[in-house]
Amino acid sequence: MKSKLYYIYLGIVLFLAFFLADKEAVAQNTELQRTTIMQYVINERPVLAELLTTAGMAPALSGSTAYTLLMPPDASLQELKGQPVEKIRAVMAMHLVKGALSATDFKEGNRLQTYGSASLNVCRKKDSILLNGVQLQATDISLRNGKVHELGGVLQP
């Protein structure tokens, strides 16, 4: 009898733990759905936010038009600080695509047009997605006005 009660108690505790953990994940996802790309970048990647603002892209990423932002690593972005505005604008424009693209939208052989009218070539190798040879690291962060993906390097104009 004692062991039966133990297993019932354990089952209830595990059920509550999974139920509450799932609610927390849903709450975080709901919060992201209310956040614009620019708000997300300001909170998570201040160096990138500074460069996007310098490039004049902050209003576009704060609006209602859907975009996909391809975020390069912070270490690579440090090299851009202090460069001429035109260079910053050209590099940042390579990392922005109109429309909310999920990882599944990056099909082998596709060419995506960037904010600066350049092209990104999509290549899929095994489980990797490469854009102009730069690998997507983390994908599909859904926000109010688009998607954010993390890159393994900087896309060059």
Side-chain angles (χ1 to χ4, degrees):
M1 181 71 173
K2 185 176 182 180
S3 65
K4 192 174 186 179
L5 287 173
Y6 172 76
Y7 286 114
I8 291 172
Y9 175 74
L10 183 62
I12 291 171
V13 169
L14 290 174
F15 174 77
L16 289 174
F18 285 120
F19 179 72
L20 293 175
D22 189 43
K23 274 189 145 183
E24 185 176 315
V26 169
Q28 287 175 340
N29 191 32
T30 302
E31 184 63 32
L32 284 178
Q33 290 293 326
R34 294 185 199 144
T35 304
T36 66
I37 293 173
M38 197 62 201
Q39 289 169 325
Y40 177 81
V41 172
I42 288 168
N43 291 335
E44 300 295 323
R45 304 283 295 281
V47 173
L48 179 58
E50 179 184 337
L51 293 171
L52 288 168
T53 302
T54 300
M57 297 177 184
L61 296 174
S62 299
S64 59
T65 303
Y67 287 100
T68 298
L69 178 63
L70 306 164
M71 298 191 307
D74 277 341
S76 302
L77 292 175
Q78 291 291 345
E79 299 169 10
L80 268 178
K81 289 177 80 172
Q83 295 290 325
V85 173
E86 296 78 25
K87 178 170 174 93
I88 293 171
R89 186 175 297 122
V91 172
M92 290 295 98
M94 291 294 294
H95 294 84
L96 193 59
V97 178
K98 195 163 189 175
L101 302 175
S102 296
T104 56
D105 295 324
F106 296 105
K107 307 273 189 226
E108 172 67 32
N110 276 4
R111 292 175 65 91
L112 306 172
Q113 186 174 358
T114 67
Y115 190 77
S117 299
S119 290
L120 294 177
N121 296 311
V122 179
C123 179
R124 286 183 161 264
K125 290 192 176 190
K126 296 185 184 181
D127 293 331
S128 298
I129 301 171
L130 303 174
L131 302 173
N132 287 6
V134 178
Q135 185 175 8
L136 279 178
Q137 303 285 329
T139 61
D140 292 337
I141 300 168
S142 296
L143 301 164
R144 185 175 83 207
N145 61 341
K147 299 255 186 193
V148 172
H149 306 282
E150 292 189 28
L151 293 172
V154 176
L155 297 165
Q156 296 297 327

